Amino acid sequence: MASYKALAYILLATTLIVVGPTAAQLSPTFYDTTCPSVSSIVEDVVRQALQTDARAGAKLIRFHFHDCFVNGCDGSVLLEDSAADGIDSEQNAPGNAGIQGQDIVANIKTAVENACPNLVSCADILAIASNAAVVLAGGRGWEVQLGRRDSRVANRSGAASNLPSPFEPLQNLTVKFANVGLDSTDLVALSGAHTFGRSRCLFFVGRLRNFNGTGMPDPTLDPVYRDILIEACPDNETRVDLDPTTPDQFDNNYFSNLQGNRGLLSSDQVLFSTPGAPTIATVNSFAASPDAFSDGFGASMIKMGNISPLTGTDGEIRFTCSRINPLPAVADM
Ligand code: HEM
Ligand SMILES: *[C@@H]1O[C@H](CO)[C@@H](O)[C@H](O)[C@H]1NC(C)=O
Ligand SMILES: *[C@@H]1O[C@H](CO)[C@@H](O)[C@H](O)[C@H]1NC(C)=O
Ligand SMILES: *[C@@H]1O[C@H](CO)[C@@H](O)[C@H](O)[C@H]1NC(C)=O
Ligand SMILES: *[C@@H]1O[C@H](CO)[C@@H](O)[C@H](O)[C@H]1NC(C)=O
């Protein structure tokens, strides 16, 4: 009798072991035998790019975020318009308007292909580059999960509906994150990426004078910071530091900025200034502790990086990140 029970447990355990790996398909060791230097190759190109472009790392992590929120982390955001391939680029969706960094991705891809041809996906390149960006800006990295493959489709309408807008209230931001399996702690942690990089003025000038038709500035915007922003924005296209305290450092000052009403975008400030919101306590804990932020950011980046990846034999390893691969020539009939 007892042995039947034991056997049942053994069978159950065996089933779990067999099923386990299909549930968690990405792995930090995915390229260990096939392309062991991939992370350092990517990091070298990001380091090089940073020498002439202080925003290089910021551009790359934003690309990874916009990739993962639309059809999962599958490199779909990198595809450019191609009538021949039936690609209507996600880069044409409002949430991606003016997104930058395609040139850096192309340079990384070239360096990776030179060392390990036809092995590393563009989706994984964005994940590795995001970690490199954070480390090179003085932040703590995380154990990057790998093994994603690239899509053969883009989803422009998905980008239009899934990407968050800087004009949305907290409730809407929370719903968009929940739609991809991220909770309000992830929302706060990941918004911490606004500790570096820039925003164009068009995304926040509405807060400076006549907020929401009230005839008054946004009451959750510090008046001194507001004066600085008015000076900093002669036109809508000018770019301003997302973190006025340490603009290019990856640190937790973003959260103390929010406590001081110095969040640049409304979507930043609402995390702290929405009355009764659960995000307030999270902002406070990240502002109080660099380690709490590093732990939280790494955990949430891994969660975001796990959004419906293509794995196994699904999708492909693109030769060029901006184009799907040509199909093999069909043999003569
Ligand atoms: C919570 C919702 C979010 C909203 C509404 C939002 C919105 C924006 C906007 C409007 C910009 C400026 C774009 C431009 O001027 O062209 C921006 C920049 C940026 N975002 Fe976000 N974002 C959000 C979350 C995130 C997340 C989760 C990440 C990464 C994990 C991220 C990383 C960045 C970075 C690094 C930049 C600067 C890019 C550069 O300098 O080119 N953002 N974001
Ligand atoms: C595009 O994205 C939307 C929103 O996530 C989703 O409902 C839809 O199935 C996607 N379409 C394709 C063709 O992947
Ligand atoms: C917030 O979401 C609601 C419900 O989907 C929508 O009606 C509203 O337009 C959204 N607000 C903004 C500012 O996007
Ligand atoms: C500003 O207006 C938008 C769009 O109508 C609305 O969703 C948002 O909640 C308003 N924000 C405040 C602080 O009133
Ligand atoms: C600048 O952007 C704001 C907000 O998006 C918009 O209302 C305004 O019309 C723009 N101004 C110009 C000159 O394009």
Side-chain angles (χ1 to χ4, degrees):
M1 259 163 49
S3 63
Y4 277 118
K5 207 172 170 185
L7 183 62
Y9 276 117
I10 289 164
L11 284 173
L12 179 64
T14 313
T15 312
L16 287 177
I17 288 161
V18 172
V19 169
T22 29
Q25 290 151 321
L26 303 182
S27 143
T29 60
F30 189 80
Y31 296 109
D32 278 12
T33 54
T34 55
C35 191
S37 52
V38 64
S39 297
S40 64
I41 294 169
V42 173
E43 186 173 319
D44 283 348
V45 180
V46 179
R47 186 184 292 107
Q48 212 179 323
L50 280 165
Q51 286 172 2
T52 53
D53 176 6
R55 285 167 52 214
K59 290 172 180 176
L60 291 165
I61 197 171
R62 185 164 191 248
F63 249 122
H64 182 43
F65 159 49
H66 286 204
D67 183 23
C68 294
F69 267 56
V70 184
N71 286 24
C73 313
D74 62 355
S76 59
V77 70
L78 295 168
L79 293 173
E80 284 169 12
D81 275 339
S82 166
D85 295 334
I87 301 295
D88 184 9
S89 179
E90 290 171 17
Q91 294 177 28
N92 297 324
N96 279 323
I99 196 165
Q100 296 180 326
Q102 295 89 335
D103 52 336
I104 311 169
V105 176
N107 289 341
I108 297 173
K109 180 64 170 171
T110 300
V112 169
E113 285 298 302
N114 286 341
C116 318
N118 201 17
L119 280 168
V120 181
S121 67
C122 299
D124 274 351
I125 282 176
L126 291 181
I128 300 168
S130 296
N131 182 63
V134 168
V135 170
L136 291 169
R140 169 141 63 73
W142 55 93
E143 193 174 50
V144 182
Q145 303 292 309
L146 299 167
R148 299 170 191 82
R149 290 167 63 84
D150 297 321
S151 71
R152 290 184 56 82
V153 293
N155 187 347
R156 178 182 178 166
S157 65
S161 56
N162 292 12
L163 294 175
S165 140
F167 310 115
E168 291 185 290
L170 180 61
Q171 172 75 35
N172 293 38
L173 298 172
T174 306
V175 168
K176 285 185 174 174
F177 274 64
N179 285 345
V180 292
L182 299 175
D183 62 25
S184 73
T185 304
D186 299 317
L187 167 62
V188 176
L190 294 171
S191 294
H194 290 175
T195 179
F196 65 177
R198 318 280 180 265
S199 170
R200 281 169 292 168
C201 292
L202 74 150
F203 294 119
F204 59 84
V205 284
R207 306 179 65 203
L208 304 179
R209 298 181 177 90
N210 179 13
F211 182 59
N212 268 5
T214 57
M216 306 278 286
D218 185 337
T220 66
L221 181 62
D222 170 65
V224 175
Y225 184 43
R226 172 184 167 255
D227 288 345
I228 292 168
L229 294 178
I230 288 172
E231 283 281 307
C233 285
D235 61 65
N236 274 349
E237 293 303 312
T238 301
R239 290 176 203 273
V240 172
D241 299 331
L242 278 156
D243 172 0
T245 316
T246 47
D248 295 321
Q249 280 290 112
F250 204 93
D251 56 26
N252 67 337
N253 283 333
Y254 169 80
F255 299 100
S256 33
N257 292 336
L258 300 184
Q259 291 173 321
N261 283 348
R262 288 183 299 276
L264 182 62
L265 306 174
S266 171
S267 54
D268 294 316
Q269 194 60 47
V270 293
L271 301 174
F272 183 74
S273 299
T274 303
T279 48
I280 298 170
T282 316
V283 169
N284 289 336
S285 80
F286 290 157
S289 163
D291 280 342
F293 172 51
S294 294
D295 290 346
F297 189 76
S300 293
M301 284 299 290
I302 290 170
K303 244 173 112 171
M304 185 178 88
N306 270 315
I307 301 173
S308 355
L310 295 172
T311 55
T313 54
D314 291 345
E316 63 186 14
I317 304 298
R318 270 181 223 149
F319 301 122
T320 303
C321 289
S322 58
R323 304 252 355 226
I324 61 171
N325 293 342
L327 288 169
V330 178
D332 286 340
M333 300 264 184

